[in-house]
Amino acid sequence: MQHTEERTFVAVKPDGVQRGLVGEVIRRFEQKGYKVIGLKMLQVTDAQAKAHYAEHEGKPFYPRLIRYIQSGPIVAMVVQGYNAIAGVRHLMGSTDPDKAEVGTIRADFAQVMEYNIVHGSDSKESAEREIKIYFEESELYPERKCMSELVIESLDAE
């Protein structure tokens, strides 16, 4: 199995923000060892919503997606780590909370698919596209170190 460091886009959706689950979502990613290298709370603009859901334009549920993502603030983040795209999606669980594995974010906190707390990119191409919708490269801090890296540096310095 190949391990590659990559970035992915994650959004705590309006229902997750309203329910006060932002810290819990971030905790789970950081506890797994991923680094949050970009983070902001924002109200999604029309342009951002349309760009984010462009692949669904013309589908019957498209207007609901746009309304929902703009129904309140989201917390957008860029998460970095080894195989982050697949790993983050595994921690989030299936889009349908009834099918999500026990212990995943959606199994633990969501009841219906339309309000499933969190979004994560499903591919490298989606991650790159979605990160650009919400972040400028200057807003990302990939050099930030996780605790294990700081401990190893400290021990090496002794």
Side-chain angles (χ1 to χ4, degrees), residues 14-29:
D15 59 315
V17 173
Q18 290 169 356
R19 291 179 53 200
L21 297 173
V22 174
E24 176 65 20
V25 170
I26 294 170
R27 182 191 69 79
R28 289 184 183 213
F29 297 140

Side-chain angles (χ1 to χ4, degrees), residues 11-144:
V12 180
K13 296 178 182 180
D15 59 315
V17 173
Q18 290 169 356
R19 291 179 53 200
L21 297 173
V22 174
E24 176 65 20
V25 170
I26 294 170
R27 182 191 69 79
R28 289 184 183 213
F29 297 140
E30 289 186 329
Q31 189 173 35
K32 180 72 174 179
Y34 297 121
K35 292 188 271 189
V36 176
I37 64 167
L39 179 71
K40 63 171 111 173
M41 180 181 273
L42 61 118
Q43 184 66 45
V44 177
T45 66
D46 287 336
Q48 287 170 321
K50 289 174 181 172
H52 187 105
Y53 289 119
E55 69 271 16
H56 299 300
E57 189 173 5
K59 296 177 182 171
F61 56 87
Y62 177 75
R64 277 197 331 266
L65 288 174
I66 299 297
R67 262 194 321 274
Y68 169 59
I69 200 71
Q70 294 185 294
S71 67
I74 69 165
V75 171
M77 64 185 98
V78 179
V79 176
Q80 181 175 299
Y82 290 103
N83 297 319
I85 295 166
V88 163
R89 290 185 63 80
H90 184 73
L91 289 171
M92 292 186 321
S94 174
T95 304
D96 181 346
D98 290 337
K99 295 177 181 165
E101 288 183 48
V102 173
T104 63
I105 294 166
R106 290 175 175 149
D108 289 352
F109 301 110
Q111 294 180 24
V112 293
M113 191 160 38
E114 288 79 10
Y115 303 101
N116 63 9
I117 310 297
V118 67
H119 164 82
S121 302
D122 63 2
S123 67
K124 186 174 175 121
E125 296 76 27
S126 292
E128 290 171 2
R129 182 180 64 80
E130 292 170 353
I131 289 168
K132 288 178 184 174
I133 293 169
Y134 296 97
F135 289 91
E136 299 291 327
E137 190 64 32
S138 63
E139 296 176 294
L140 304 179
Y141 301 91
E143 294 80 24
R144 186 184 76 80

